[in-house]
Amino acid sequence: MKQLRYILLLGGLLLSWQGFSQHVVGIHAGGGMATGRFEPTQETKPIWGTTTFGFSWRYYSPQRVVGGVGADLEYMERGFSIATNTSRVDDKKDYLYYTRRVNSLMLPIIWQPHAYLVNHHVRVFGEAGVTLSYNLSSDYEIEKKDDQGNIYIEEGDYEMRTVRDNRLGYGLCAGGGISVLIKQFELNIRARYYFGYSDILKNRNKYYGTIENFMRTPLRSPLDNITISVGLSYRFNKEGFDSWKPRRKREKNREVFEFAK
């Protein structure tokens, strides 16, 4: 019961905080492209049509301080597609690919500089931050040829093993977008690039073997994503985006000063 009282007290303090009106919560969804970077270099191609969706929180400081901070919690499809027969064919059109999709939970922690336009009804913003991730599950597709030369696909669930696969990951992200402000709502479109630093596969110094009997364990295997998403957010500011108490106070003080003069 004591813990519950502390939680309720903390919630009451947060709701009574004057700056609470600057907080924004929202949802977003979109899609994009995923790829991997391997060392030694491998012949790869991007995976198009990946999806992402999730929740967001932002705190926007008053106009006199440009910028905001926040975090997202999102589901994201990641992965890589790597050619398996580069040593046996000369033309890229004859490459056969092994494709692996990874379902991840992403936690980007964001710094967001911004500028208001059109009398505070439009907001243009940039983004930079760090990301943490957890890989939930994975599946694969392998392109193969039969005796007649026809291509067929073998697919299934990929078994993630502790000795071979990394569940936890980290990286950087950057991007930008534009928002339209409608009273307490904010409709936005955003583009973001996720640059992975951690490896999806444990390198050969920790694990030595092959992946699906054709790919030697790489030294590096980070994953990257490019996403475009649309979001809808709600701002805790009943007075609207153009009502700023610090500005009104300054205007009142200016009027008193001019009258006294």
Side-chain angles (χ1 to χ4, degrees), residues 202-221:
K202 295 184 177 179
N203 67 51
R204 66 182 65 172
N205 294 326
K206 297 180 180 179
Y207 170 80
Y208 187 83
T210 60
I211 308 302
E212 300 300 334
N213 298 320
F214 65 82
M215 175 184 171
R216 288 187 64 193
T217 307
L219 291 172
R220 293 299 317 277
S221 55

Side-chain angles (χ1 to χ4, degrees), residues 207-260:
Y207 170 80
Y208 187 83
T210 60
I211 308 302
E212 300 300 334
N213 298 320
F214 65 82
M215 175 184 171
R216 288 187 64 193
T217 307
L219 291 172
R220 293 299 317 277
S221 55
L223 301 181
D224 298 342
N225 277 74
I226 297 176
T227 64
I228 297 176
S229 59
V230 176
L232 179 65
S233 301
Y234 179 82
R235 186 172 187 172
F236 294 90
N237 187 344
K238 295 182 179 180
E239 297 177 348
F241 288 91
D242 293 327
S243 298
W244 295 88
K245 292 182 179 180
R247 173 181 289 182
R248 291 204 300 269
K249 287 181 180 179
R250 286 197 297 270
E251 289 175 352
K252 289 181 179 179
N253 292 337
R254 189 181 297 112
E255 291 173 0
V256 172
F257 174 76
E258 291 174 354
F259 178 80

Side-chain angles (χ1 to χ4, degrees), residues 15-240:
L15 290 171
S16 63
W17 178 32
Q18 185 176 1
F20 187 69
S21 63
Q22 304 305 117
H23 291 260
V24 179
V25 295
I27 56 175
H28 62 272
M33 179 270 288
T35 188
R37 289 177 286 113
F38 294 92
E39 182 184 334
T41 303
Q42 304 285 336
E43 184 68 35
T44 62
K45 68 176 182 179
I47 303 174
W48 295 96
T50 59
T51 60
T52 181
F53 57 86
F55 303 92
S56 63
W57 162 78
R58 295 290 184 273
Y59 171 76
Y60 300 133
S61 59
Q63 297 177 32
R64 62 180 179 272
V65 181
V66 178
V69 294
D72 300 331
L73 179 61
E74 52 193 12
Y75 164 85
M76 180 179 293
E77 286 185 339
R78 309 164 76 198
F80 60 87
S81 189
I82 185 169
T84 63
N85 61 338
T86 55
S87 62
R88 300 192 297 273
V89 298
D90 297 323
D91 198 329
K92 286 188 175 182
K93 67 180 179 62
D94 295 322
Y95 285 171
L96 300 175
Y97 287 88
Y98 168 78
T99 300
R100 184 143 73 87
R101 294 176 181 268
V102 182
N103 304 309
S104 300
L105 279 180
M106 298 288 292
L107 179 65
I109 301 172
I110 301 297
W111 170 60
Q112 191 179 84
H114 61 231
Y116 288 101
L117 304 173
V118 195
N119 196 26
H120 292 193
H121 291 295
V122 174
R123 189 172 65 86
V124 179
F125 59 88
E127 290 185 329
V130 298
T131 63
L132 302 174
S133 63
Y134 180 79
N135 301 317
L136 299 169
S137 61
S138 184
D139 57 68
Y140 69 91
E141 296 179 355
I142 304 178
E143 295 179 342
K144 295 184 177 181
K145 280 188 177 181
D146 59 21
D147 296 336
Q148 288 72 40
N150 300 315
I151 296 176
Y152 67 96
I153 296 177
E154 180 182 298
E155 59 185 3
D157 295 329
Y158 178 86
E159 182 183 356
M160 301 190 73
R161 300 176 182 174
T162 304
V163 296
R164 181 184 61 192
D165 306 289
N166 285 317
R167 292 250 185 202
L168 298 176
Y170 57 91
L172 300 176
C173 65
I178 186 169
S179 299
V180 177
L181 313 181
I182 307 172
K183 294 184 178 180
Q184 290 180 249
F185 292 94
E186 181 173 330
L187 180 64
N188 63 76
I189 183 169
R190 179 193 74 199
R192 185 184 286 175
Y193 178 61
Y194 297 79
F195 184 83
Y197 267 103
S198 60
D199 300 319
I200 186 64
L201 298 168
K202 295 184 177 179
N203 67 51
R204 66 182 65 172
N205 294 326
K206 297 180 180 179
Y207 170 80
Y208 187 83
T210 60
I211 308 302
E212 300 300 334
N213 298 320
F214 65 82
M215 175 184 171
R216 288 187 64 193
T217 307
L219 291 172
R220 293 299 317 277
S221 55
L223 301 181
D224 298 342
N225 277 74
I226 297 176
T227 64
I228 297 176
S229 59
V230 176
L232 179 65
S233 301
Y234 179 82
R235 186 172 187 172
F236 294 90
N237 187 344
K238 295 182 179 180
E239 297 177 348

